[in-house]
Amino acid sequence: MTFEHASAPRGLQDNNPQFGQTLLPSSRELGEVVPVKLPDGAPVAAGGPAFAKSWAHFVAGGLGGMASATLTAPLDVLKTRLQSTYYQQHLAAMRTARGLPPIETMSFARSSLLHIRETGEILWQVPKAEGWRALFKGLGPNLIGVVPARAINFYVYGNSKKVISTQFNNGQEAAWVHLFSAAAAGIVTGTATNPIWLVKTRLQLDKNIHTDGRGRQYRNAFDCTMQTIRKEGFFGLYRGLTASYLGVSESTLQWMMYEQMKLALAKRAERVAAMGRAPTLWDQTVDWTGKVSAAGAAKFIAALITYPHEVVRTRLRQAPQQDGRLKYTGLAQCFKLIWKEEGMAALYGGLVPHMFRVVPSAAIMFGTYEGVLKLLGESSNM
């Protein structure tokens, strides 16, 4: 912006009280790119707070993802192993040795109880056989992926919501606005961070001693990345990306339900305030825990509905077999092969530790996110 442009609006500012409060000059061009609900000519002045809000969401999302990933890392390792081919075969052999029928022939109640029992057994065996550090395998690349992934997700979601609502819904939020914003955020985030998740998955599946007597295949995350590129090419780092795109449905459902629950909480707060009475203990409890509970509930429902894509994504990211061939070559082929060889139950392998992990993880992440935003003087309502 030139000095002449900065000086031009002085007369308008003198004659208009609305402009008298604006320190920066007007800019119609910026107003068209980043529309805000301020008088014409004021978007440049609003540019500072808008940038600060985007920055705050970026930081809050990253810190929320970091906290949730660290605290729930053991359950993430357990879930990944239960989703893999090796552990499904191991569990099937254990059931046969015990004289149990195939899990797909059991009733829902019996198979669910067996699944919980087997989950507990593996959770006990992993640190016993490999040490407690094994429960945090892949945490490094997980954190490297979670921080930018959550930061990107929250940033893209918030800005998409602002642009879509302004351009197509008269500046008003709606369920369909949340849907398209969440889908855009999921696609961008999945594409940007898929190589990190692939490395994390392979590190978590890499055991100290394999069934053929071999030791660990990868020394660290960098070695895993280099081996993947040498053996499978650069695009080998993007295996499982189609399943990640399928998983956008989960994050979209979660965002939509979370936003609707937040709206219901806001309306409830308005009704309590309109009644003119002092808040009860229950009102205070809802105020403190409402958003955290909403995040956990939204994640529980979304994850339960869309879980099979998690198993498929893990299988697609597995390292090649000993002969160098890939067992799973595509999304549809992977679904069909799992169904044919292992039955429908295999598509829900690792569901118990997954739900134990993602529900508190979502509560921790969104709780941290909302708390950081509050500390930074911002709001999650963009």
Side-chain angles (χ1 to χ4, degrees):
M1 181 178 291
T2 64
F3 177 78
E4 290 78 4
H5 286 131
S7 304
R10 188 182 303 275
L12 287 173
Q13 294 178 9
D14 293 339
N15 297 329
N16 193 326
Q18 294 175 331
F19 282 96
Q21 300 175 357
T22 304
L23 298 178
L24 293 178
S26 64
S27 173
R28 292 179 60 84
E29 294 179 359
L30 288 178
E32 294 173 0
V33 175
V34 187
V36 292
K37 295 183 179 180
L38 290 172
D40 291 341
V44 171
F51 175 79
K53 178 176 287 189
S54 298
W55 170 81
H57 282 261
F58 193 86
V59 171
L63 290 176
M66 181 187 298
S68 63
T70 303
L71 294 174
T72 60
L75 290 171
D76 186 47
V77 172
L78 185 60
K79 176 214 70 172
T80 302
R81 294 195 175 193
L82 284 170
Q83 288 174 346
S84 69
T85 305
Y86 171 79
Y87 277 89
Q88 286 301 316
Q89 293 172 346
H90 176 68
L91 291 174
M94 288 176 59
R95 295 179 198 126
T96 303
R98 291 174 180 172
L100 295 174
I103 194 170
E104 58 268 20
T105 64
M106 297 181 185
S107 65
F108 177 77
R110 187 181 180 189
S111 62
S112 298
L113 291 173
L114 179 61
H115 189 56
I116 294 173
R117 175 185 172 183
E118 293 173 341
T119 298
E121 289 176 350
I122 292 181
L123 183 60
W124 173 260
Q125 291 171 1
V126 169
K128 187 177 179 180
E130 305 176 47
W132 65 270
R133 291 178 183 272
L135 292 173
F136 292 88
K137 274 187 177 180
L139 180 59
N142 195 21
L143 286 176
I144 293 172
V146 162
V147 174
R150 295 308 174 190
I152 292 169
N153 190 275
F154 282 104
Y155 183 84
V156 174
Y157 176 78
N159 283 279
S160 296
K161 183 169 68 171
K162 179 171 61 178
V163 171
I164 293 173
S165 61
T166 302
Q167 297 294 329
F168 303 103
N169 203 37
N170 298 321
Q172 301 297 316
E173 293 188 24
W176 69 268
V177 173
H178 300 149
L179 186 151
F180 284 104
S181 301
I187 291 171
V188 172
T189 304
T191 304
T193 60
N194 194 81
I196 299 172
W197 302 134
L198 179 133
V199 170
K200 184 211 77 167
T201 299
R202 293 191 174 182
L203 286 175
Q204 289 180 335
L205 295 177
D206 192 22
K207 300 177 290 298
N208 289 336
I209 300 177
H210 292 256
T211 53
D212 58 0
R214 291 181 298 116
R216 292 184 61 185
Q217 183 176 354
Y218 308 113
R219 293 191 300 272
N220 49 46
F222 179 76
D223 180 54
C224 180
T225 303
M226 292 297 99
Q227 285 196 43
T228 301
I229 294 175
R230 283 198 303 268
K231 296 176 182 179
E232 304 171 54
F234 177 77
F235 289 103
L237 293 172
Y238 284 87
R239 288 184 52 78
L241 182 60
T242 51
S244 292
Y245 287 158
L246 187 63
V248 169
S249 59
E250 178 183 343
S251 61
T252 300
L253 281 173
Q254 181 187 358
W255 268 115
M256 288 181 63
M257 288 186 287
Y258 179 65
E259 292 279 11
Q260 294 305 308
M261 291 177 188
K262 279 175 55 181
L263 180 60
L265 289 170
K267 290 181 178 179
R268 183 186 184 281
E270 291 177 0
R271 290 196 301 268
V272 171
M275 293 172 67
R277 61 172 173 80
T280 64
L281 179 61
W282 175 248
D283 294 331
Q284 294 175 354
T285 301
V286 172
D287 287 340
W288 279 96
T289 65
K291 289 183 179 179
V292 173
S293 301
K299 185 64 177 181
F300 179 85
I301 297 170
L304 193 61
I305 293 174
T306 62
Y307 183 75
H309 92 274
E310 291 271 356
V311 176
V312 172
R313 184 170 59 189
T314 296
R315 299 290 182 94
L316 286 171
R317 287 173 176 168
Q318 288 180 176
Q321 301 177 87
Q322 286 182 282
D323 57 5
R325 292 187 300 108
L326 294 169
K327 182 174 182 180
Y328 305 105
T329 57
L331 187 64
Q333 182 264 357
C334 186
F335 265 113
K336 292 177 181 178
L337 192 57
I338 293 173
W339 185 287
K340 179 181 178 181
E341 292 184 347
E342 305 168 55
M344 181 180 177
L347 290 171
Y348 288 87
L351 177 62
V352 173
H354 179 72
M355 299 306 289
F356 280 149
R357 183 186 71 87
V358 297
V359 173
S361 176
I364 293 168
M365 181 173 63
F366 278 85
T368 304
Y369 166 71
E370 298 282 356
V372 172
L373 283 182
K374 190 174 182 179
L375 289 174
L376 295 175
E378 299 294 345
S379 170
S380 58
N381 299 319
M382 297 185 69

